[in-house]
CSV table of all heavy atoms in Angstrom, one decimal:
chain,number,residue,atom,x,y,z
A,131,ARG,N,-8.1,-41.7,34.2
A,131,ARG,CA,-8.2,-41.6,35.7
A,131,ARG,C,-6.9,-41.0,36.2
A,131,ARG,O,-5.8,-41.2,35.6
A,131,ARG,CB,-8.4,-43.0,36.3
A,131,ARG,CG,-9.7,-43.7,35.9
A,131,ARG,CD,-10.9,-43.0,36.5
A,131,ARG,NE,-12.1,-43.7,36.2
A,131,ARG,CZ,-12.9,-43.3,35.1
A,131,ARG,NH1,-12.6,-42.3,34.4
A,131,ARG,NH2,-14.0,-43.9,34.9
A,132,ASP,N,-7.0,-40.3,37.4
A,132,ASP,CA,-5.7,-39.9,37.9
A,132,ASP,C,-5.0,-41.0,38.6
A,132,ASP,O,-5.5,-42.2,38.7
A,132,ASP,CB,-5.9,-38.7,38.9
A,132,ASP,CG,-6.7,-39.0,40.1
A,132,ASP,OD1,-6.6,-40.1,40.6
A,132,ASP,OD2,-7.4,-38.1,40.6
A,133,ARG,N,-3.8,-40.8,39.1
A,133,ARG,CA,-3.0,-41.9,39.7
A,133,ARG,C,-3.5,-42.4,41.0
A,133,ARG,O,-2.9,-43.4,41.5
A,133,ARG,CB,-1.5,-41.5,39.8
A,133,ARG,CG,-0.9,-41.3,38.4
A,133,ARG,CD,0.6,-40.9,38.5
A,133,ARG,NE,1.4,-42.1,38.9
A,133,ARG,CZ,2.1,-42.1,40.0
A,133,ARG,NH1,2.2,-41.0,40.8
A,133,ARG,NH2,2.8,-43.1,40.4
A,134,LEU,N,-4.5,-41.8,41.6
A,134,LEU,CA,-5.1,-42.4,42.8
A,134,LEU,C,-5.7,-43.8,42.4
A,134,LEU,O,-5.8,-44.7,43.3
A,134,LEU,CB,-6.3,-41.5,43.3
A,134,LEU,CG,-5.9,-40.3,44.2
A,134,LEU,CD1,-7.1,-39.6,44.7
A,134,LEU,CD2,-5.0,-40.7,45.4
A,135,ALA,N,-6.0,-44.0,41.1
A,135,ALA,CA,-6.6,-45.3,40.7
A,135,ALA,C,-5.6,-46.4,41.0
A,135,ALA,O,-6.0,-47.5,41.3
A,135,ALA,CB,-7.0,-45.2,39.3
A,136,LEU,N,-4.3,-46.1,40.9
A,136,LEU,CA,-3.3,-47.1,41.2
A,136,LEU,C,-3.3,-47.6,42.6
A,136,LEU,O,-2.8,-48.7,43.0
A,136,LEU,CB,-1.9,-46.6,40.8
A,136,LEU,CG,-1.7,-46.2,39.3
A,136,LEU,CD1,-0.3,-45.6,39.1
A,136,LEU,CD2,-2.0,-47.3,38.4
A,137,LEU,N,-3.8,-46.7,43.5
A,137,LEU,CA,-3.8,-47.1,44.9
A,137,LEU,C,-5.1,-47.9,45.3
A,137,LEU,O,-5.3,-48.2,46.5
A,137,LEU,CB,-3.8,-45.8,45.8
A,137,LEU,CG,-2.6,-44.9,45.6
A,137,LEU,CD1,-2.6,-43.7,46.5
A,137,LEU,CD2,-1.3,-45.7,45.7
A,138,ARG,N,-5.9,-48.2,44.3
A,138,ARG,CA,-7.0,-49.1,44.6
A,138,ARG,C,-6.6,-50.6,44.6
A,138,ARG,O,-7.5,-51.4,44.8
A,138,ARG,CB,-8.1,-48.9,43.5
A,138,ARG,CG,-8.9,-47.6,43.8
A,138,ARG,CD,-10.0,-47.4,42.8
A,138,ARG,NE,-11.0,-46.4,43.2
A,138,ARG,CZ,-12.0,-46.0,42.4
A,138,ARG,NH1,-12.1,-46.4,41.2
A,138,ARG,NH2,-12.8,-45.1,42.9
A,139,ASP,N,-5.3,-50.8,44.4
A,139,ASP,CA,-4.9,-52.2,44.6
A,139,ASP,C,-4.8,-52.6,46.0
A,139,ASP,O,-4.7,-51.7,46.9
A,139,ASP,CB,-3.4,-52.3,44.0
A,139,ASP,CG,-3.4,-52.2,42.5
A,139,ASP,OD1,-4.4,-52.4,41.9
A,139,ASP,OD2,-2.3,-51.9,41.9
A,140,THR,N,-4.9,-53.8,46.3
A,140,THR,CA,-4.9,-54.3,47.7
A,140,THR,C,-3.5,-53.9,48.3
A,140,THR,O,-2.5,-54.0,47.7
A,140,THR,CB,-5.1,-55.8,47.8
A,140,THR,OG1,-5.0,-56.2,49.2
A,140,THR,CG2,-4.1,-56.6,47.0
A,141,ILE,N,-3.6,-53.5,49.6
A,141,ILE,CA,-2.3,-53.1,50.3
A,141,ILE,C,-1.4,-54.3,50.6
A,141,ILE,O,-0.2,-54.2,50.8
A,141,ILE,CB,-2.7,-52.3,51.6
A,141,ILE,CG1,-1.4,-51.6,52.1
A,141,ILE,CG2,-3.3,-53.2,52.6
A,141,ILE,CD1,-1.7,-50.6,53.2
A,142,GLN,N,-2.0,-55.5,50.6
A,142,GLN,CA,-1.3,-56.7,50.9
A,142,GLN,C,-1.6,-57.8,49.9
A,142,GLN,O,-2.7,-58.2,49.7
A,142,GLN,CB,-1.7,-57.3,52.3
A,142,GLN,CG,-1.1,-58.6,52.7
A,142,GLN,CD,0.4,-58.7,52.7
A,142,GLN,OE1,1.0,-58.5,51.7
A,142,GLN,NE2,0.9,-58.9,53.9
A,143,THR,N,-0.5,-58.1,49.1
A,143,THR,CA,-0.6,-59.1,48.1
A,143,THR,C,-0.3,-60.5,48.6
A,143,THR,O,-0.7,-61.5,47.9
A,143,THR,CB,0.3,-58.8,46.9
A,143,THR,OG1,1.6,-58.7,47.4
A,143,THR,CG2,-0.1,-57.4,46.3
A,144,GLN,N,0.4,-60.6,49.7
A,144,GLN,CA,0.8,-61.9,50.2
A,144,GLN,C,-0.4,-62.6,50.9
A,144,GLN,O,-1.1,-62.0,51.7
A,144,GLN,CB,1.9,-61.8,51.2
A,144,GLN,CG,3.2,-61.2,50.6
A,144,GLN,CD,4.3,-61.1,51.7
A,144,GLN,OE1,4.4,-62.0,52.6
A,144,GLN,NE2,5.2,-60.2,51.5
A,145,THR,N,-0.5,-63.9,50.6
A,145,THR,CA,-1.5,-64.7,51.3
A,145,THR,C,-0.9,-66.0,51.9
A,145,THR,O,0.2,-66.4,51.5
A,145,THR,CB,-2.6,-65.2,50.3
A,145,THR,OG1,-2.0,-65.9,49.2
A,145,THR,CG2,-3.3,-63.9,49.7
A,146,TYR,N,-1.6,-66.5,52.8
A,146,TYR,CA,-1.1,-67.8,53.5
A,146,TYR,C,-1.3,-68.9,52.5
A,146,TYR,O,-2.3,-69.1,51.8
A,146,TYR,CB,-1.9,-68.1,54.8
A,146,TYR,CG,-1.5,-67.1,55.9
A,146,TYR,CD1,-2.5,-66.2,56.3
A,146,TYR,CD2,-0.3,-67.1,56.5
A,146,TYR,CE1,-2.2,-65.3,57.3
A,146,TYR,CE2,0.0,-66.2,57.5
A,146,TYR,CZ,-0.9,-65.3,57.9
A,146,TYR,OH,-0.6,-64.4,58.9
A,147,ALA,N,-0.3,-69.8,52.5
A,147,ALA,CA,-0.3,-71.0,51.6
A,147,ALA,C,-1.1,-72.1,52.2
A,147,ALA,O,-1.5,-73.0,51.4
A,147,ALA,CB,1.2,-71.5,51.4
A,148,GLY,N,-1.3,-72.1,53.5
A,148,GLY,CA,-2.1,-73.2,54.1
A,148,GLY,C,-1.3,-74.5,54.1
A,148,GLY,O,-1.9,-75.6,54.1
A,149,THR,N,0.0,-74.5,54.2
A,149,THR,CA,0.8,-75.7,54.1
A,149,THR,C,1.5,-76.1,55.4
A,149,THR,O,2.3,-77.1,55.4
A,149,THR,CB,1.9,-75.4,53.1
A,149,THR,OG1,2.7,-74.2,53.4
A,149,THR,CG2,1.4,-75.2,51.7
A,150,THR,N,1.2,-75.5,56.5
A,150,THR,CA,1.8,-75.9,57.8
A,150,THR,C,1.0,-77.1,58.3
A,150,THR,O,0.0,-76.9,59.0
A,150,THR,CB,1.8,-74.7,58.8
A,150,THR,OG1,2.4,-73.6,58.2
A,150,THR,CG2,2.5,-75.1,60.1
A,151,ILE,N,1.4,-78.3,58.0
A,151,ILE,CA,0.7,-79.5,58.3
A,151,ILE,C,1.3,-80.3,59.4
A,151,ILE,O,0.8,-81.3,59.8
A,151,ILE,CB,0.5,-80.4,57.1
A,151,ILE,CG1,1.8,-80.7,56.5
A,151,ILE,CG2,-0.4,-79.7,56.0
A,151,ILE,CD1,1.8,-81.7,55.3
A,152,SER,N,2.5,-79.8,59.9
A,152,SER,CA,3.1,-80.4,61.1
A,152,SER,C,4.0,-79.4,61.7
A,152,SER,O,4.2,-78.3,61.2
A,152,SER,CB,4.0,-81.6,60.6
A,152,SER,OG,5.2,-81.2,60.0
A,153,GLY,N,4.6,-79.8,62.8
A,153,GLY,CA,5.5,-78.8,63.6
A,153,GLY,C,6.8,-78.6,62.9
A,153,GLY,O,7.6,-77.7,63.4
A,154,VAL,N,7.2,-79.4,61.9
A,154,VAL,CA,8.5,-79.2,61.3
A,154,VAL,C,8.4,-78.9,59.8
A,154,VAL,O,9.4,-78.5,59.2
A,154,VAL,CB,9.3,-80.5,61.4
A,154,VAL,CG1,9.6,-80.8,62.9
A,154,VAL,CG2,8.5,-81.7,60.8
A,155,ALA,N,7.2,-79.0,59.2
A,155,ALA,CA,7.1,-78.8,57.8
A,155,ALA,C,6.1,-77.6,57.5
A,155,ALA,O,5.2,-77.4,58.2
A,155,ALA,CB,6.6,-80.0,57.0
A,156,GLY,N,6.3,-76.9,56.4
A,156,GLY,CA,5.4,-75.9,55.9
A,156,GLY,C,5.5,-74.5,56.5
A,156,GLY,O,4.7,-73.7,56.3
Side-chain angles (χ1 to χ4, degrees):
R131 298 290 182 263
D132 66 32
R133 292 184 70 241
L134 280 183
L136 300 179
L137 302 184
R138 282 182 166 170
D139 291 341
T140 180
I141 195 169
Q142 172 60 293
T143 58
Q144 296 180 32
T145 59
Y146 289 111
T149 55
T150 305
I151 57 175
S152 74
V154 294

